[in-house]
Amino acid sequence: METQQLHRGRLIDHIQLVVRDIAASETFYTAVFKALQIPISGRGDDYFWADELFVSTATSPAACGKLTGRHHLAFQARDEAMVQAFYQAALANGGTDNGAPGYREYHPGYYGAFVLDPDGNNIEAVYHGKAERSAPSVVVTF
């Protein structure tokens, strides 16, 4: 069987979503991140962030007054149960079904779920199957 090696934490520094309703987005993302065991890292009146994802209003200085277009973001899950918890949390907190939890044909063992966030972004949680990580996360200290 062919093996595959994935690298995490070296390509994306951050992603910004500029949303219409910061309160609706914060409710949605707080719930799905809780299911994925990722805490919200910080918040202000017109933004919040968790790890590499920064979410703001169009009036935030970093947004230049424009909403972002539709994006597909896939979050890592540790197992199938975490994918299912993500999906249920998303639907209970303003998300819309875009693909119930299940195996996908992308590669053997790919288990994912898809929802649309309050702005129509396609948000996924995915478990790629049993794998060995070199570390639970990359920690950068300034």
Side-chain angles (χ1 to χ4, degrees):
M1 178 177 188
E2 183 179 331
T3 60
Q4 183 179 26
Q5 186 179 61
L6 300 174
H7 292 268
R8 299 288 185 245
R10 68 179 191 182
L11 178 62
I12 303 297
D13 182 79
H14 67 277
I15 296 169
Q16 181 178 7
L17 294 179
V18 181
V19 300
R20 292 185 308 263
D21 184 340
I22 195 72
S25 290
E26 188 168 0
T27 296
F28 174 85
Y29 284 102
T30 297
V32 300
F33 288 155
K34 183 177 180 183
L36 296 170
Q37 299 178 8
I38 302 294
I40 296 294
S41 302
R43 57 178 46 92
D45 291 338
D46 59 357
Y47 66 88
F48 64 92
W49 82 90
D51 288 358
E52 297 88 359
L53 180 63
F54 184 84
V55 181
S56 74
T57 64
T59 58
S60 171
C64 301
K66 296 185 180 191
L67 299 174
T68 49
R70 185 173 178 202
H71 295 286
H72 174 153
L73 302 177
F75 301 131
Q76 298 174 53
R78 285 196 289 267
D79 54 32
E80 293 173 16
M82 188 174 270
V83 171
Q84 294 164 8
F86 155 87
Y87 181 77
Q88 293 303 319
L91 295 182
N93 289 278
T96 305
D97 172 58
N98 199 33
Y103 289 101
R104 303 300 197 265
E105 297 294 323
Y106 308 141
H107 67 70
Y110 194 111
Y111 188 88
F114 301 83
V115 296
L116 299 179
D117 77 0
D119 280 83
N121 292 297
N122 185 26
I123 307 300
E124 174 185 5
V126 59
Y127 172 61
H128 289 281
K130 290 185 178 186
E132 184 177 322
R133 289 179 171 263
S134 62
S137 68
V138 175
V139 178
V140 179
T141 305
F142 293 97

